[in-house]
Amino acid sequence: MPALKIFSESIKFFKEHFEHLLEKITLRVKENERNMSGDVSESVNDNDERKVDPKNNAACSWSADILWVLTVPAIWSDEAKQFMREAAIQAGIQDDHLVLALEPESAALLCKQLKLTENSNATNIEEFEPGSKFMVVDCMEQ
């Protein structure tokens, strides 16, 4: 089986799974809002919050509202990155809604925003104090 097909189908699975989770969460929030307003006569069904494509009256994907970020290893060549972009496009992600990010840069951005601390009782997520320093080490096997 071609590698492009395998990558594309894998990305498509995660994309559709994430969109389905977004639909469920949106429906749950909308139902809670209705219940809190006292309007319990209206029930929520799977199509309540989906956008409808006027051409075929089918539910639209959330993809048009999402900026998809796929991380790739820093050592990948431009050809390998283009391969990943093509796989994502074949999976149904629009090119103008797709960003490829290098894994160590993504890790650094996360570390810049969050400080994870762990003690015997729990794991805490906090913000770093201004001026704090951190290091991201991208280890690879040769």
Side-chain angles (χ1 to χ4, degrees), residues 33-118:
E33 288 173 359
R34 286 183 185 146
N35 291 341
M36 289 174 65
S37 70
D39 185 5
V40 292
S41 61
E42 254 184 278
S43 64
V44 177
N45 64 46
D46 283 344
N47 294 320
D48 279 353
E49 291 302 316
R50 294 182 189 172
K51 296 176 185 174
V52 176
D53 183 347
K55 292 179 186 172
N56 61 11
N57 204 31
C60 294
S61 168
W62 281 83
S63 289
D65 299 327
I66 298 172
L67 176 63
W68 297 92
V69 179
L70 294 178
T71 61
V72 295
I75 62 170
W76 274 17
S77 67
D78 288 341
E79 292 81 16
K81 293 174 194 168
Q82 182 60 32
F83 171 88
M84 183 62 82
R85 179 173 294 281
E86 289 174 21
I89 291 168
Q90 283 189 18
I93 297 175
Q94 297 172 4
D95 191 34
D96 60 342
H97 285 82
L98 175 63
V99 173
L100 295 183
L102 301 179
E103 290 169 353
E105 289 176 349
S106 299
L109 285 172
L110 178 65
C111 288
K112 184 178 177 187
Q113 296 299 317
L114 300 177
K115 176 173 92 172
L116 298 176
T117 59
E118 191 171 344

Coordinates of all heavy atoms in Angstrom, one line a residue, residues 33-118:
E33 N -27.4 24.8 27.9 CA -27.9 26.2 27.9 C -29.4 26.2 27.8 O -30.1 27.0 28.4 CB -27.3 26.9 26.7 CG -25.9 27.3 26.8 CD -25.3 27.8 25.5 OE1 -26.0 27.9 24.5 OE2 -24.1 28.2 25.6
R34 N -30.0 25.3 27.0 CA -31.5 25.2 26.9 C -32.1 24.8 28.2 O -33.1 25.3 28.6 CB -31.9 24.2 25.8 CG -31.6 24.7 24.4 CD -32.1 23.7 23.4 NE -31.8 24.2 22.1 CZ -31.4 23.5 21.1 NH1 -31.4 22.2 21.2 NH2 -31.1 24.0 19.9
N35 N -31.5 23.8 28.9 CA -32.0 23.3 30.1 C -31.9 24.4 31.2 O -32.8 24.6 32.0 CB -31.3 22.1 30.6 CG -31.6 20.9 29.7 OD1 -32.6 20.9 29.0 ND2 -30.7 19.9 29.8
M36 N -30.8 25.2 31.2 CA -30.7 26.2 32.2 C -31.7 27.4 32.0 O -32.1 28.1 32.9 CB -29.2 26.8 32.2 CG -28.3 25.7 32.8 SD -26.5 26.2 32.6 CE -26.5 27.7 33.7
S37 N -32.0 27.6 30.7 CA -33.0 28.7 30.4 C -34.4 28.2 30.7 O -35.4 29.0 30.5 CB -32.9 29.1 28.9 OG -33.3 28.1 28.1
G38 N -34.6 27.0 31.1 CA -35.9 26.5 31.4 C -36.7 25.9 30.2 O -37.8 25.4 30.3
D39 N -36.1 25.9 29.0 CA -36.7 25.4 27.8 C -36.3 23.9 27.7 O -35.4 23.6 27.0 CB -36.4 26.2 26.6 CG -37.1 25.7 25.4 OD1 -38.0 24.9 25.5 OD2 -36.8 26.2 24.3
V40 N -37.0 23.0 28.3 CA -36.6 21.6 28.3 C -37.5 20.9 27.2 O -37.3 19.7 27.0 CB -36.8 20.9 29.6 CG1 -35.8 21.4 30.6 CG2 -38.2 21.1 30.2
S41 N -38.4 21.6 26.6 CA -39.3 20.9 25.6 C -38.5 20.6 24.3 O -38.9 19.7 23.6 CB -40.5 21.8 25.3 OG -40.1 23.0 24.8
E42 N -37.5 21.4 24.1 CA -36.7 21.2 22.8 C -35.7 20.1 23.1 O -34.9 20.2 24.0 CB -36.0 22.5 22.4 CG -36.6 23.2 21.2 CD -35.8 24.4 20.9 OE1 -36.0 25.4 21.5 OE2 -35.0 24.3 20.0
S43 N -35.6 19.2 22.3 CA -34.5 18.2 22.4 C -33.4 18.4 21.4 O -33.7 19.0 20.3 CB -35.1 16.8 22.2 OG -35.5 16.6 20.9
V44 N -32.2 18.0 21.7 CA -31.1 18.2 20.8 C -30.9 17.0 20.1 O -30.8 15.9 20.6 CB -29.8 18.6 21.6 CG1 -28.6 18.7 20.7 CG2 -30.1 19.9 22.4
N45 N -30.7 17.1 18.7 CA -30.4 15.9 18.0 C -29.0 16.2 17.3 O -28.5 17.3 17.4 CB -31.5 15.5 17.0 CG -31.7 16.6 15.9 OD1 -30.7 17.1 15.3 ND2 -32.9 16.9 15.7
D46 N -28.5 15.2 16.6 CA -27.2 15.3 16.0 C -27.0 16.4 15.0 O -25.9 16.8 14.7 CB -26.8 13.9 15.4 CG -26.4 12.9 16.4 OD1 -26.1 13.3 17.6 OD2 -26.3 11.7 16.1
N47 N -28.1 16.9 14.4 CA -27.9 17.9 13.4 C -28.1 19.3 13.9 O -28.0 20.3 13.1 CB -28.9 17.6 12.3 CG -28.6 16.3 11.5 OD1 -27.4 16.0 11.3 ND2 -29.6 15.5 11.2
D48 N -28.4 19.5 15.2 CA -28.8 20.9 15.6 C -27.7 21.9 15.4 O -27.9 23.0 15.1 CB -29.1 20.8 17.1 CG -30.5 20.4 17.4 OD1 -31.3 20.3 16.4 OD2 -30.8 20.2 18.6
E49 N -26.4 21.6 15.6 CA -25.3 22.5 15.6 C -24.5 22.5 14.3 O -23.5 23.2 14.2 CB -24.5 22.4 16.8 CG -25.2 22.8 18.1 CD -25.7 24.2 18.0 OE1 -24.9 25.1 17.6 OE2 -26.8 24.5 18.5
R50 N -24.8 21.6 13.5 CA -24.0 21.4 12.3 C -24.3 22.5 11.3 O -25.5 22.9 11.1 CB -24.1 20.1 11.6 CG -23.6 19.0 12.5 CD -23.8 17.7 11.7 NE -23.5 16.6 12.6 CZ -23.7 15.3 12.3 NH1 -24.2 15.0 11.2 NH2 -23.4 14.4 13.2
K51 N -23.3 23.0 10.5 CA -23.6 23.9 9.4 C -24.1 23.1 8.3 O -23.7 21.9 8.1 CB -22.3 24.6 9.0 CG -21.8 25.5 10.1 CD -20.5 26.1 9.7 CE -19.9 26.9 10.9 NZ -18.6 27.4 10.5
V52 N -25.0 23.6 7.5 CA -25.6 22.8 6.4 C -25.1 23.4 5.1 O -25.2 24.6 4.9 CB -27.1 22.8 6.5 CG1 -27.7 22.1 5.2 CG2 -27.6 22.1 7.7
D53 N -24.6 22.6 4.2 CA -24.2 23.0 2.9 C -25.4 23.1 2.0 O -26.1 22.1 1.8 CB -23.2 21.9 2.3 CG -22.6 22.2 1.0 OD1 -23.1 23.2 0.3 OD2 -21.7 21.6 0.5
P54 N -25.7 24.3 1.5 CA -26.9 24.5 0.7 C -26.9 23.7 -0.6 O -28.0 23.5 -1.1 CB -26.9 26.0 0.5 CG -25.5 26.5 0.8 CD -24.9 25.5 1.7
K55 N -25.8 23.3 -1.1 CA -25.7 22.6 -2.4 C -26.4 21.2 -2.3 O -27.1 20.8 -3.1 CB -24.3 22.5 -2.9 CG -23.7 23.9 -3.3 CD -22.3 23.7 -3.8 CE -21.7 25.0 -4.1 NZ -20.3 24.9 -4.4
N56 N -26.0 20.5 -1.2 CA -26.5 19.1 -1.1 C -27.2 18.9 0.2 O -27.5 17.8 0.6 CB -25.3 18.2 -1.2 CG -24.2 18.3 -0.2 OD1 -24.4 19.0 0.8 ND2 -23.1 17.7 -0.4
N57 N -27.5 19.9 1.0 CA -28.2 19.8 2.3 C -27.6 18.9 3.3 O -28.3 18.3 4.1 CB -29.7 19.4 2.0 CG -30.6 19.9 3.1 OD1 -30.3 20.9 3.8 ND2 -31.6 19.1 3.4
A58 N -26.3 18.7 3.2 CA -25.6 17.8 4.1 C -24.8 18.6 5.1 O -24.5 19.8 4.9 CB -24.6 16.9 3.3
A59 N -24.5 18.0 6.2 CA -23.8 18.6 7.3 C -22.3 18.9 6.8 O -21.7 18.1 6.2 CB -23.7 17.8 8.5
C60 N -21.9 20.1 7.1 CA -20.5 20.5 6.7 C -19.5 20.1 7.7 O -19.8 19.9 8.9 CB -20.4 22.0 6.5 SG -21.4 22.6 5.1
S61 N -18.3 19.9 7.3 CA -17.2 19.6 8.2 C -16.8 20.9 9.0 O -17.0 22.0 8.6 CB -16.0 19.2 7.4 OG -14.9 19.1 8.2
W62 N -16.2 20.6 10.2 CA -15.7 21.7 11.0 C -14.4 22.2 10.4 O -13.9 23.3 10.9 CB -15.4 21.2 12.4 CG -16.6 21.1 13.3 CD1 -17.5 20.0 13.3 CD2 -17.0 22.0 14.3 NE1 -18.4 20.3 14.3 CE2 -18.2 21.5 14.9 CE3 -16.6 23.2 14.7 CZ2 -18.9 22.1 15.9 CZ3 -17.3 23.9 15.7 CH2 -18.4 23.3 16.3
S63 N -13.8 21.6 9.5 CA -12.5 21.9 9.0 C -12.3 23.4 8.5 O -11.3 24.0 8.7 CB -12.1 21.0 7.8 OG -11.8 19.7 8.3
A64 N -13.4 24.0 8.0 CA -13.3 25.4 7.5 C -13.1 26.3 8.7 O -12.6 27.4 8.5 CB -14.5 25.7 6.8
D65 N -13.4 25.9 9.9 CA -13.3 26.7 11.1 C -12.0 26.5 11.9 O -11.8 27.1 13.0 CB -14.5 26.6 12.0 CG -15.8 26.9 11.3 OD1 -15.8 27.8 10.5 OD2 -16.8 26.3 11.6
I66 N -11.2 25.5 11.5 CA -10.1 25.1 12.3 C -8.8 25.3 11.5 O -8.7 25.1 10.3 CB -10.2 23.6 12.6 CG1 -11.4 23.3 13.4 CG2 -8.9 23.0 13.3 CD1 -11.7 21.8 13.6
L67 N -7.8 25.8 12.2 CA -6.4 25.9 11.7 C -5.7 24.6 12.2 O -5.5 24.4 13.4 CB -5.7 27.1 12.2 CG -4.2 27.2 11.8 CD1 -4.1 27.3 10.2 CD2 -3.5 28.4 12.4
W68 N -5.5 23.7 11.3 CA -4.9 22.4 11.6 C -3.3 22.6 11.7 O -2.7 23.1 10.7 CB -5.2 21.4 10.6 CG -6.7 21.1 10.6 CD1 -7.6 21.7 9.7 CD2 -7.4 20.2 11.4 NE1 -8.9 21.2 10.0 CE2 -8.8 20.3 11.0 CE3 -7.1 19.3 12.4 CZ2 -9.8 19.5 11.6 CZ3 -8.1 18.5 13.0 CH2 -9.4 18.6 12.6
V69 N -2.7 22.1 12.7 CA -1.3 22.2 12.9 C -0.8 20.8 13.0 O -1.1 20.0 14.0 CB -0.8 23.0 14.1 CG1 0.7 23.0 14.2 CG2 -1.4 24.4 14.0
L70 N 0.0 20.4 12.1 CA 0.7 19.0 12.1 C 2.2 19.2 12.4 O 2.8 20.0 11.8 CB 0.5 18.3 10.8 CG -0.9 17.9 10.3 CD1 -0.8 17.3 9.0 CD2 -1.5 17.0 11.3
T71 N 2.6 18.5 13.4 CA 4.1 18.6 13.7 C 4.9 17.6 12.9 O 4.4 16.5 12.6 CB 4.3 18.4 15.2 OG1 3.9 17.1 15.6 CG2 3.6 19.5 16.0
V72 N 6.0 18.0 12.5 CA 7.0 17.1 11.8 C 8.3 17.2 12.4 O 8.7 18.2 13.0 CB 7.0 17.5 10.3 CG1 5.7 17.3 9.6 CG2 7.5 18.9 10.1
P73 N 9.1 16.1 12.3 CA 10.5 16.2 12.9 C 11.3 17.3 12.2 O 11.2 17.6 11.0 CB 11.1 14.8 12.5 CG 9.8 13.9 12.4 CD 8.8 14.8 11.8
A74 N 12.2 17.9 13.0 CA 13.0 19.0 12.5 C 14.0 18.5 11.4 O 14.4 19.3 10.6 CB 13.8 19.6 13.7
I75 N 14.3 17.3 11.4 CA 15.3 16.8 10.4 C 14.7 16.4 9.1 O 15.4 16.1 8.2 CB 16.1 15.6 11.0 CG1 15.2 14.4 11.3 CG2 16.9 16.0 12.2 CD1 15.9 13.1 11.6
W76 N 13.4 16.5 9.0 CA 12.8 16.1 7.7 C 13.2 17.1 6.6 O 13.3 18.3 6.8 CB 11.2 16.1 7.8 CG 10.7 14.8 8.3 CD1 11.4 13.9 9.0 CD2 9.3 14.4 8.3 NE1 10.5 12.8 9.3 CE2 9.3 13.2 8.9 CE3 8.2 15.0 7.8 CZ2 8.1 12.4 9.0 CZ3 7.0 14.3 7.9 CH2 7.0 13.0 8.4
S77 N 13.3 16.6 5.4 CA 13.6 17.4 4.2 C 12.4 18.1 3.8 O 11.3 17.8 4.2 CB 14.1 16.4 3.1 OG 13.1 15.6 2.7
D78 N 12.6 19.1 2.9 CA 11.4 19.8 2.3 C 10.5 18.8 1.6 O 9.3 19.0 1.6 CB 11.9 20.9 1.3 CG 12.5 22.0 2.1 OD1 12.3 22.2 3.3 OD2 13.3 22.8 1.4
E79 N 11.1 17.8 0.9 CA 10.3 16.8 0.2 C 9.4 16.0 1.2 O 8.2 15.7 0.9 CB 11.2 15.8 -0.6 CG 11.9 16.5 -1.8 CD 13.2 17.2 -1.4 OE1 13.7 17.0 -0.2 OE2 13.6 18.0 -2.2
A80 N 9.9 15.6 2.3 CA 9.2 14.9 3.3 C 8.1 15.8 3.9 O 6.9 15.3 4.1 CB 10.1 14.4 4.5
K81 N 8.3 17.1 4.1 CA 7.3 18.0 4.6 C 6.2 18.2 3.6 O 5.0 18.2 3.9 CB 7.9 19.3 4.9 CG 8.9 19.3 6.1 CD 9.5 20.6 6.3 CE 10.7 20.5 7.3 NZ 11.6 21.7 7.3
Q82 N 6.6 18.2 2.3 CA 5.6 18.3 1.2 C 4.7 17.1 1.2 O 3.5 17.1 0.9 CB 6.3 18.6 -0.1 CG 5.3 18.8 -1.3 CD 4.4 20.0 -1.1 OE1 4.7 21.0 -0.5 NE2 3.2 19.9 -1.6
F83 N 5.3 15.9 1.4 CA 4.6 14.7 1.4 C 3.5 14.7 2.5 O 2.4 14.3 2.3 CB 5.6 13.5 1.7 CG 4.9 12.2 2.0 CD1 4.6 11.3 1.0 CD2 4.7 11.8 3.3 CE1 4.0 10.1 1.2 CE2 4.1 10.6 3.6 CZ 3.7 9.7 2.5
M84 N 3.9 15.2 3.7 CA 3.0 15.3 4.8 C 1.8 16.3 4.5 O 0.7 16.1 4.8 CB 3.7 15.8 6.1 CG 2.8 15.8 7.3 SD 2.0 14.2 7.7 CE 3.4 13.5 8.7
R85 N 2.2 17.4 3.8 CA 1.2 18.4 3.4 C 0.2 17.7 2.4 O -1.0 17.9 2.5 CB 1.8 19.6 2.8 CG 0.9 20.7 2.3 CD 1.6 21.9 1.8 NE 2.2 22.6 2.9 CZ 1.6 23.4 3.8 NH1 0.3 23.6 3.7 NH2 2.2 24.0 4.8
E86 N 0.7 17.0 1.5 CA -0.2 16.3 0.5 C -1.1 15.3 1.2 O -2.2 15.2 0.8 CB 0.7 15.7 -0.6 CG 1.3 16.7 -1.5 CD 2.3 16.1 -2.5 OE1 2.2 14.8 -2.8 OE2 3.2 16.8 -3.1
A87 N -0.5 14.6 2.1 CA -1.3 13.6 2.9 C -2.5 14.3 3.6 O -3.6 13.8 3.6 CB -0.5 12.8 3.8
A88 N -2.2 15.4 4.2 CA -3.2 16.2 5.0 C -4.3 16.7 4.0 O -5.5 16.6 4.3 CB -2.6 17.3 5.8
I89 N -3.9 17.2 2.9 CA -4.8 17.7 1.9 C -5.7 16.5 1.4 O -6.9 16.7 1.3 CB -4.1 18.4 0.7 CG1 -3.5 19.7 1.3 CG2 -5.1 18.7 -0.4 CD1 -2.5 20.3 0.3
Q90 N -5.1 15.4 1.1 CA -5.9 14.2 0.7 C -6.9 13.8 1.8 O -7.9 13.2 1.5 CB -5.0 13.1 0.3 CG -4.4 13.2 -1.1 CD -3.7 12.0 -1.5 OE1 -3.9 10.9 -1.0 NE2 -2.9 12.2 -2.6
A91 N -6.5 14.1 3.1 CA -7.4 13.7 4.2 C -8.5 14.7 4.4 O -9.4 14.4 5.2 CB -6.5 13.6 5.5
G92 N -8.6 15.7 3.6 CA -9.7 16.7 3.6 C -9.4 18.0 4.3 O -10.3 18.7 4.6
I93 N -8.1 18.2 4.6 CA -7.8 19.5 5.3 C -7.4 20.5 4.1 O -6.5 20.1 3.3 CB -6.6 19.3 6.2 CG1 -7.0 18.4 7.4 CG2 -6.1 20.6 6.8 CD1 -5.9 18.0 8.3
Q94 N -8.0 21.6 4.2 CA -7.7 22.6 3.2 C -6.3 23.2 3.3 O -5.8 23.4 4.5 CB -8.7 23.8 3.2 CG -10.1 23.4 3.0 CD -11.1 24.6 3.3 OE1 -10.7 25.7 3.6 NE2 -12.4 24.3 3.2
D95 N -5.6 23.4 2.2 CA -4.2 23.8 2.3 C -4.1 25.2 3.1 O -3.1 25.4 3.8 CB -3.6 24.0 0.9 CG -2.1 24.2 0.9 OD1 -1.5 23.7 1.7 OD2 -1.7 24.9 0.0
D96 N -5.0 26.1 2.9 CA -5.0 27.4 3.6 C -5.4 27.3 5.1 O -5.4 28.3 5.8 CB -5.8 28.4 2.8 CG -7.2 28.1 2.7 OD1 -7.6 26.9 2.9 OD2 -8.0 29.0 2.5
H97 N -5.8 26.1 5.5 CA -6.1 25.9 6.9 C -5.1 24.9 7.6 O -5.4 24.2 8.6 CB -7.5 25.3 7.1 CG -8.5 26.3 6.9 ND1 -9.0 26.7 5.6 CD2 -9.2 27.1 7.8 CE1 -9.9 27.6 5.8 NE2 -10.1 27.9 7.0
L98 N -3.9 24.8 7.0 CA -2.9 23.8 7.4 C -1.6 24.5 7.7 O -1.1 25.3 6.8 CB -2.7 22.7 6.3 CG -1.6 21.7 6.6 CD1 -1.9 20.8 7.8 CD2 -1.5 20.8 5.3
V99 N -1.0 24.2 8.8 CA 0.4 24.6 9.1 C 1.2 23.4 9.5 O 0.7 22.6 10.3 CB 0.3 25.6 10.3 CG1 1.7 26.0 10.8 CG2 -0.5 26.9 10.0
L100 N 2.4 23.3 9.0 CA 3.3 22.3 9.4 C 4.3 23.0 10.4 O 4.8 24.0 10.1 CB 4.1 21.7 8.3 CG 3.3 20.9 7.2 CD1 4.2 20.4 6.2 CD2 2.5 19.8 7.9
A101 N 4.4 22.4 11.6 CA 5.3 23.0 12.6 C 6.4 22.0 13.0 O 6.1 20.8 13.1 CB 4.5 23.4 13.8
L102 N 7.5 22.5 13.3 CA 8.6 21.6 13.7 C 8.4 21.1 15.1 O 8.0 22.0 16.0 CB 10.0 22.2 13.5 CG 10.3 22.7 12.1 CD1 11.7 23.4 12.1 CD2 10.3 21.5 11.1
E103 N 8.6 19.9 15.4 CA 8.3 19.3 16.7 C 9.1 20.1 17.9 O 8.4 20.4 18.9 CB 8.6 17.8 16.8 CG 7.6 17.0 16.0 CD 8.0 15.6 15.7 OE1 9.2 15.2 16.1 OE2 7.2 14.9 15.2
P104 N 10.4 20.4 17.7 CA 11.0 21.1 18.8 C 10.5 22.5 19.0 O 10.4 23.0 20.2 CB 12.5 21.1 18.5 CG 12.6 20.6 17.1 CD 11.3 19.9 16.7
E105 N 10.1 23.2 18.0 CA 9.5 24.5 18.1 C 8.2 24.4 18.8 O 7.9 25.3 19.7 CB 9.4 25.2 16.7 CG 10.7 25.6 16.1 CD 10.5 26.1 14.7 OE1 9.4 26.0 14.1 OE2 11.5 26.7 14.2
S106 N 7.4 23.4 18.5 CA 6.1 23.3 19.2 C 6.3 23.0 20.6 O 5.6 23.5 21.5 CB 5.3 22.1 18.5 OG 5.1 22.4 17.2
A107 N 7.3 22.1 21.0 CA 7.6 21.8 22.4 C 8.0 23.1 23.1 O 7.6 23.4 24.2 CB 8.6 20.8 22.5
A108 N 8.8 23.9 22.4 CA 9.3 25.2 23.1 C 8.2 26.1 23.3 O 8.1 26.8 24.4 CB 10.4 25.8 22.2
L109 N 7.2 26.2 22.4 CA 6.1 27.1 22.6 C 5.2 26.6 23.8 O 4.8 27.5 24.6 CB 5.2 27.2 21.3 CG 5.8 28.0 20.2 CD1 5.0 27.8 18.9 CD2 5.9 29.5 20.6
L110 N 5.0 25.3 23.9 CA 4.3 24.8 25.0 C 5.0 25.1 26.3 O 4.4 25.6 27.3 CB 4.0 23.3 24.8 CG 3.3 22.7 26.0 CD1 1.9 23.2 26.1 CD2 3.3 21.2 25.9
C111 N 6.3 24.8 26.3 CA 7.1 25.1 27.6 C 7.1 26.5 27.9 O 7.1 26.9 29.1 CB 8.5 24.6 27.4 SG 8.7 22.8 27.3
K112 N 7.1 27.4 27.0 CA 7.0 28.9 27.2 C 5.7 29.2 27.9 O 5.7 30.1 28.8 CB 7.2 29.6 25.9 CG 7.3 31.1 26.1 CD 7.4 31.8 24.8 CE 7.5 33.3 25.0 NZ 7.5 34.0 23.8
Q113 N 4.6 28.6 27.6 CA 3.3 28.9 28.2 C 3.0 28.2 29.5 O 2.3 28.7 30.3 CB 2.2 28.6 27.1 CG 2.3 29.4 25.9 CD 2.2 30.9 26.1 OE1 1.3 31.3 26.9 NE2 3.0 31.7 25.5
L114 N 3.5 26.9 29.6 CA 3.1 26.1 30.7 C 4.3 25.6 31.5 O 5.3 25.2 30.9 CB 2.3 24.9 30.3 CG 1.0 25.2 29.5 CD1 0.4 23.9 29.1 CD2 0.0 26.0 30.4
K115 N 4.2 25.6 32.8 CA 5.2 25.0 33.7 C 4.5 23.8 34.4 O 3.5 23.9 35.1 CB 5.6 26.0 34.7 CG 6.6 25.4 35.7 CD 7.2 26.5 36.6 CE 6.3 26.6 37.8 NZ 6.9 27.5 38.8
L116 N 5.0 22.6 34.1 CA 4.4 21.4 34.8 C 5.3 21.1 36.0 O 6.5 21.0 35.9 CB 4.5 20.2 33.8 CG 3.7 20.3 32.5 CD1 3.9 19.1 31.6 CD2 2.2 20.4 32.8
T117 N 4.6 21.0 37.1 CA 5.3 20.6 38.3 C 4.6 19.3 38.9 O 3.4 19.2 38.7 CB 5.2 21.7 39.4 OG1 3.8 22.0 39.7 CG2 5.9 22.9 38.9
E118 N 5.4 18.5 39.4 CA 4.8 17.2 40.0 C 5.3 17.0 41.4 O 6.5 17.1 41.6 CB 5.2 16.1 39.1 CG 4.5 14.8 39.4 CD 4.7 13.7 38.3 OE1 5.2 14.0 37.2 OE2 4.4 12.6 38.6

